[in-house]
Amino acid sequence: MPFENKAKRSPRGLGLSSLAEDILPTDDAPFRARLHQLFSQIEKEFENLYLENLSLQEKLDAMGARGGDPSVADRSVTGDLESELASNKSLKAKFGAVAGSKVKASHKLRAQTSRIVSSFKAQSVVCSIVRDYCGHKDGVWQVAAKVGQPIIGTASADHTACIWGVDSGRCLLQYQGHGGSVNSIKFHQNRDLVLTGSGDGTAHIWQAAVNWDIPTRKGHSSEEELEDLDEEPVEERDRVDTLRTPVCEFSGPGGHTSVIVAADWLPGGDQIITASWDRSAILWDVETREPLQPLTGHDHELTHACAHQTQRLVVTASRDSTFRLWDFREQIPAVSVFQGHTESVTSTVFTRDDKVVSGSDDRTVKVWELRNMRSALTTIRTDSAVNRLAVSANGVIAIPHDNRHIRLFDLNGQRVARLPRTSRQGHRRMVSSVCWAPDEPNSSCNLYSCGFDRRVLGWTISLPKEST
């Protein structure tokens, strides 16, 4: 069974003038009209700059075609660029003066307008799709990457989980041990083990040792066997190794009574955490397969759970619009409740500098300090519901959306890039999950995404130096 049906939402308009609805109260009509007028002027200014850039490009092309003096062309371009910079300065000064005219709203307006202007800057981030991992027969709920090996794992509503070779794009192993939708997948930090949670109410740990050479045959020892392999049909040669038996299963008395939507390893791998629609999370002992402690308190179904990489900390997210931090470093666990979202919290992840990033159906992403649960450090507002996000080692947040887009922001809330999406590339339906690749210097991909178009995409993201 699928782990949650997402309602379709129409994206909001992206024009500058529409931001007035976000910034201003409804009863300030004169100021709203004035701000609409100013936004329109800004749009015209940027359009004029765009046309001037096109004109400059045409001049350069003409000079190149005539074989003109490069120094003359350089002087011409330099003069035009200087005038363009002057125009930008006057534009910012004009907008800053208007923002300063309203004392109460001045700080908010400056923050909003700086983000508006920065969003129009030419992106120095290069984003492109380099791999497409096809094979699942239903939507893909989550994608995960393995530290130290060029493989990724995917969890799908088709009741299977798959292990893929990053560079080959081939499915190396398919796990068929669950009786329901596989809703989450996580690799063990050091061993060839995988943890999956399923709609059948169980969590499984299974062996993820893959055969890199030939997926369908093992131990070839003669040229005759290889010749026989060449004569086989393509379907036989591309057949995937399958696994149906887990190393251990977490269920039974004291376990979950409904769908498990997420599962993760605690540091060291001797314990796991699972989150369920039964409104509880459970801490399990891997060796004994027994539940150690139920984590209750959420008012509605849980949507996600994530463990800290090095400390015994866990966050659980829920449809009750909150997420909770559970501290297992003491004998008696402590719990803190984070409130700030207005709709279901869909994912929560730790950063390397001990912050928590949360995403929600309320179309926001918030960055929190672990020691301050009263208010978020940063709020990122988007135009679509947020699904299972990921944070890179250098602090770049990849945000998957219901509207098929993927956006990149830094931890300060500044937009880094929006990944390209057209009819020929990108996801065609909801993007359900993203994950950053571990720091592998020779990997062809450094970001992976999956969605309900059954596709898993590998991206290469080249970030500017200031973002890395």
mmCIF file of all heavy atoms in Angstrom, residues 422-437:
data_model
loop_
_atom_site.group_PDB
_atom_site.id
_atom_site.type_symbol
_atom_site.label_atom_id
_atom_site.label_comp_id
_atom_site.label_asym_id
_atom_site.label_seq_id
_atom_site.Cartn_x
_atom_site.Cartn_y
_atom_site.Cartn_z
ATOM 1 N N THR A 422 12.170 20.175 -17.932
ATOM 2 C CA THR A 422 11.424 20.409 -19.155
ATOM 3 C C THR A 422 10.697 19.128 -19.524
ATOM 4 O O THR A 422 10.716 18.149 -18.776
ATOM 5 C CB THR A 422 12.367 20.818 -20.307
ATOM 6 O OG1 THR A 422 13.242 19.707 -20.607
ATOM 7 C CG2 THR A 422 13.224 22.021 -19.910
ATOM 8 N N SER A 423 10.055 19.142 -20.694
ATOM 9 C CA SER A 423 9.342 17.942 -21.138
ATOM 10 C C SER A 423 10.308 16.802 -21.441
ATOM 11 O O SER A 423 9.919 15.643 -21.467
ATOM 12 C CB SER A 423 8.510 18.266 -22.378
ATOM 13 O OG SER A 423 9.352 18.743 -23.405
ATOM 14 N N ARG A 424 11.579 17.138 -21.660
ATOM 15 C CA ARG A 424 12.557 16.119 -22.021
ATOM 16 C C ARG A 424 13.474 15.724 -20.875
ATOM 17 O O ARG A 424 14.176 14.725 -20.958
ATOM 18 C CB ARG A 424 13.409 16.609 -23.199
ATOM 19 C CG ARG A 424 12.613 16.795 -24.474
ATOM 20 C CD ARG A 424 13.524 17.133 -25.638
ATOM 21 N NE ARG A 424 12.776 17.272 -26.886
ATOM 22 C CZ ARG A 424 13.338 17.538 -28.061
ATOM 23 N NH1 ARG A 424 14.648 17.710 -28.133
ATOM 24 N NH2 ARG A 424 12.603 17.655 -29.142
ATOM 25 N N GLN A 425 13.538 16.521 -19.840
ATOM 26 C CA GLN A 425 14.390 16.172 -18.717
ATOM 27 C C GLN A 425 13.723 16.589 -17.416
ATOM 28 O O GLN A 425 12.844 17.434 -17.385
ATOM 29 C CB GLN A 425 15.762 16.839 -18.839
ATOM 30 C CG GLN A 425 15.729 18.356 -18.809
ATOM 31 C CD GLN A 425 17.131 18.943 -18.844
ATOM 32 O OE1 GLN A 425 18.102 18.285 -18.454
ATOM 33 N NE2 GLN A 425 17.247 20.171 -19.291
ATOM 34 N N GLY A 426 14.166 15.952 -16.334
ATOM 35 C CA GLY A 426 13.547 16.208 -15.049
ATOM 36 C C GLY A 426 12.382 15.267 -14.799
ATOM 37 O O GLY A 426 12.024 14.435 -15.635
ATOM 38 N N HIS A 427 11.794 15.417 -13.631
ATOM 39 C CA HIS A 427 10.687 14.541 -13.245
ATOM 40 C C HIS A 427 9.371 15.029 -13.842
ATOM 41 O O HIS A 427 9.150 16.226 -14.001
ATOM 42 C CB HIS A 427 10.574 14.471 -11.726
ATOM 43 C CG HIS A 427 11.670 13.684 -11.091
ATOM 44 N ND1 HIS A 427 11.703 12.303 -11.106
ATOM 45 C CD2 HIS A 427 12.798 14.073 -10.437
ATOM 46 C CE1 HIS A 427 12.776 11.875 -10.475
ATOM 47 N NE2 HIS A 427 13.467 12.928 -10.061
ATOM 48 N N ARG A 428 8.505 14.070 -14.133
ATOM 49 C CA ARG A 428 7.209 14.377 -14.736
ATOM 50 C C ARG A 428 6.075 14.341 -13.716
ATOM 51 O O ARG A 428 4.956 14.727 -14.031
ATOM 52 C CB ARG A 428 6.910 13.395 -15.867
ATOM 53 C CG ARG A 428 7.975 13.397 -16.958
ATOM 54 C CD ARG A 428 7.601 12.451 -18.096
ATOM 55 N NE ARG A 428 8.634 12.410 -19.112
ATOM 56 C CZ ARG A 428 9.611 11.511 -19.157
ATOM 57 N NH1 ARG A 428 9.665 10.569 -18.215
ATOM 58 N NH2 ARG A 428 10.524 11.538 -20.107
ATOM 59 N N ARG A 429 6.353 13.842 -12.537
ATOM 60 C CA ARG A 429 5.363 13.842 -11.451
ATOM 61 C C ARG A 429 6.062 14.238 -10.155
ATOM 62 O O ARG A 429 7.223 14.624 -10.161
ATOM 63 C CB ARG A 429 4.711 12.457 -11.323
ATOM 64 C CG ARG A 429 3.876 12.051 -12.536
ATOM 65 C CD ARG A 429 3.181 10.716 -12.322
ATOM 66 N NE ARG A 429 2.204 10.775 -11.235
ATOM 67 C CZ ARG A 429 1.539 9.718 -10.786
ATOM 68 N NH1 ARG A 429 1.761 8.515 -11.314
ATOM 69 N NH2 ARG A 429 0.672 9.839 -9.799
ATOM 70 N N MET A 430 5.354 14.167 -9.048
ATOM 71 C CA MET A 430 5.874 14.571 -7.750
ATOM 72 C C MET A 430 7.263 13.991 -7.483
ATOM 73 O O MET A 430 7.513 12.810 -7.690
ATOM 74 C CB MET A 430 4.909 14.080 -6.670
ATOM 75 C CG MET A 430 5.375 14.322 -5.257
ATOM 76 S SD MET A 430 4.299 13.518 -4.051
ATOM 77 C CE MET A 430 4.897 11.828 -4.145
ATOM 78 N N VAL A 431 8.182 14.846 -7.021
ATOM 79 C CA VAL A 431 9.508 14.392 -6.594
ATOM 80 C C VAL A 431 9.410 14.055 -5.112
ATOM 81 O O VAL A 431 9.166 14.928 -4.279
ATOM 82 C CB VAL A 431 10.580 15.464 -6.837
ATOM 83 C CG1 VAL A 431 11.967 14.885 -6.565
ATOM 84 C CG2 VAL A 431 10.504 16.000 -8.263
ATOM 85 N N SER A 432 9.577 12.802 -4.768
ATOM 86 C CA SER A 432 9.306 12.352 -3.404
ATOM 87 C C SER A 432 10.523 12.396 -2.488
ATOM 88 O O SER A 432 10.373 12.511 -1.274
ATOM 89 C CB SER A 432 8.735 10.926 -3.427
ATOM 90 O OG SER A 432 9.549 10.080 -4.208
ATOM 91 N N SER A 433 11.738 12.313 -3.059
ATOM 92 C CA SER A 433 12.921 12.252 -2.203
ATOM 93 C C SER A 433 14.162 12.650 -2.993
ATOM 94 O O SER A 433 14.224 12.470 -4.215
ATOM 95 C CB SER A 433 13.093 10.837 -1.640
ATOM 96 O OG SER A 433 14.342 10.673 -1.011
ATOM 97 N N VAL A 434 15.149 13.188 -2.275
ATOM 98 C CA VAL A 434 16.470 13.465 -2.846
ATOM 99 C C VAL A 434 17.521 13.013 -1.843
ATOM 100 O O VAL A 434 17.254 12.904 -0.641
ATOM 101 C CB VAL A 434 16.681 14.960 -3.168
ATOM 102 C CG1 VAL A 434 15.796 15.401 -4.324
ATOM 103 C CG2 VAL A 434 16.428 15.824 -1.946
ATOM 104 N N CYS A 435 18.730 12.766 -2.318
ATOM 105 C CA CYS A 435 19.852 12.501 -1.416
ATOM 106 C C CYS A 435 21.143 12.940 -2.091
ATOM 107 O O CYS A 435 21.284 12.826 -3.314
ATOM 108 C CB CYS A 435 19.917 11.036 -0.997
ATOM 109 S SG CYS A 435 20.660 9.933 -2.204
ATOM 110 N N TRP A 436 22.049 13.474 -1.287
ATOM 111 C CA TRP A 436 23.378 13.846 -1.776
ATOM 112 C C TRP A 436 24.292 12.638 -1.712
ATOM 113 O O TRP A 436 24.200 11.834 -0.785
ATOM 114 C CB TRP A 436 23.969 14.967 -0.934
ATOM 115 C CG TRP A 436 23.285 16.288 -1.098
ATOM 116 C CD1 TRP A 436 22.309 16.813 -0.301
ATOM 117 C CD2 TRP A 436 23.514 17.252 -2.131
ATOM 118 N NE1 TRP A 436 21.923 18.036 -0.768
ATOM 119 C CE2 TRP A 436 22.636 18.340 -1.892
ATOM 120 C CE3 TRP A 436 24.366 17.311 -3.229
ATOM 121 C CZ2 TRP A 436 22.603 19.464 -2.710
ATOM 122 C CZ3 TRP A 436 24.331 18.428 -4.045
ATOM 123 C CH2 TRP A 436 23.466 19.494 -3.791
ATOM 124 N N ALA A 437 25.176 12.520 -2.689
ATOM 125 C CA ALA A 437 26.156 11.440 -2.670
ATOM 126 C C ALA A 437 27.200 11.730 -1.599
ATOM 127 O O ALA A 437 27.490 12.891 -1.295
ATOM 128 C CB ALA A 437 26.820 11.312 -4.039
#
